[in-house]
Amino acid sequence: MNQYQKLRDRQQQEFNALPLGFAFSDKQFREVMQAWGLDPEKDTDKIFSIGYGGFIQKKDAELLHTTTARHEEELAAAIAADQTGDGFICDMFRYELDNHEYSYTMDPSDTLDALGYTAEEINADQRLLHGLEKACKAILQSA
């Protein structure tokens, strides 16, 4: 299995296990608050929004922050450990290129955006450039 996908899948499972609530209507908000044992009218000071309809209790905020920070560190470490771009980096680009329909569009810009890279950053790092080129070639050969 793709090394990047393994990391992302594990991290997604950990994120999904966080005590988050999602609400896209007043009814759903009340349900989330009640599931947490909070009064939806009086206890809004005990929660905060994480955006996109997500909420977390303030008491769990540190868990959210440490988990997301650890995930970012794990990704950065895996990228740094790939000295050539042939391993994790190539897997990362391959997964995201597939996810952003590179074989159809032939445009890697959505992939770079999703990963937080600019073309200049890719071109400035031989490992990233090599991994991207290798992933693009592999996708085109398999299409």
Side-chain angles (χ1 to χ4, degrees):
M1 177 185 258
N2 179 305
Q3 296 173 53
Y4 173 77
Q5 185 176 358
K6 277 183 181 176
L7 176 68
R8 298 299 286 179
D9 288 351
R10 180 183 54 76
Q11 289 180 341
Q12 186 64 56
Q13 287 178 340
E14 291 175 4
F15 190 82
N16 290 347
L18 292 172
L20 303 175
F22 289 88
F24 304 100
S25 68
D26 288 341
K27 179 180 183 258
Q28 289 174 339
F29 181 77
R30 284 190 303 278
E31 290 169 354
V32 166
M33 292 291 283
Q34 289 168 349
W36 285 337
L38 300 175
D39 184 311
E41 303 298 323
K42 299 177 184 171
D43 292 330
T44 56
D45 62 327
K46 295 179 181 172
I47 66 166
F48 69 89
S49 171
I50 61 168
Y52 306 103
F55 297 90
I56 191 164
Q57 293 184 67
K58 288 181 179 178
K59 70 178 183 70
D60 296 320
E62 185 62 26
L63 177 61
L64 172 65
H65 293 298
T66 58
T67 300
T68 56
R70 181 174 46 80
H71 287 177
E72 290 172 11
E73 291 168 6
E74 289 171 350
L75 179 61
I79 291 168
D82 185 353
Q83 296 299 306
T84 64
D86 287 319
F88 186 87
I89 292 171
C90 181
D91 284 353
M92 173 181 73
F93 283 122
R94 177 87 189 252
Y95 178 86
E96 293 296 345
L97 286 164
D98 278 339
N99 195 37
H100 292 91
E101 300 180 351
Y102 175 77
S103 64
Y104 175 73
T105 66
M106 303 288 286
D107 181 2
S109 59
D110 287 342
T111 294
L112 299 185
D113 288 344
L115 291 169
Y117 287 114
T118 65
E120 293 79 16
E121 289 171 315
I122 299 297
N123 289 324
D125 186 324
Q126 282 303 109
R127 300 168 315 121
L128 294 176
L129 182 60
H130 174 71
L132 176 59
E133 289 172 345
K134 184 176 178 180
C136 288
K137 184 178 179 181
I139 288 172
L140 294 178
Q141 287 176 341
S142 68

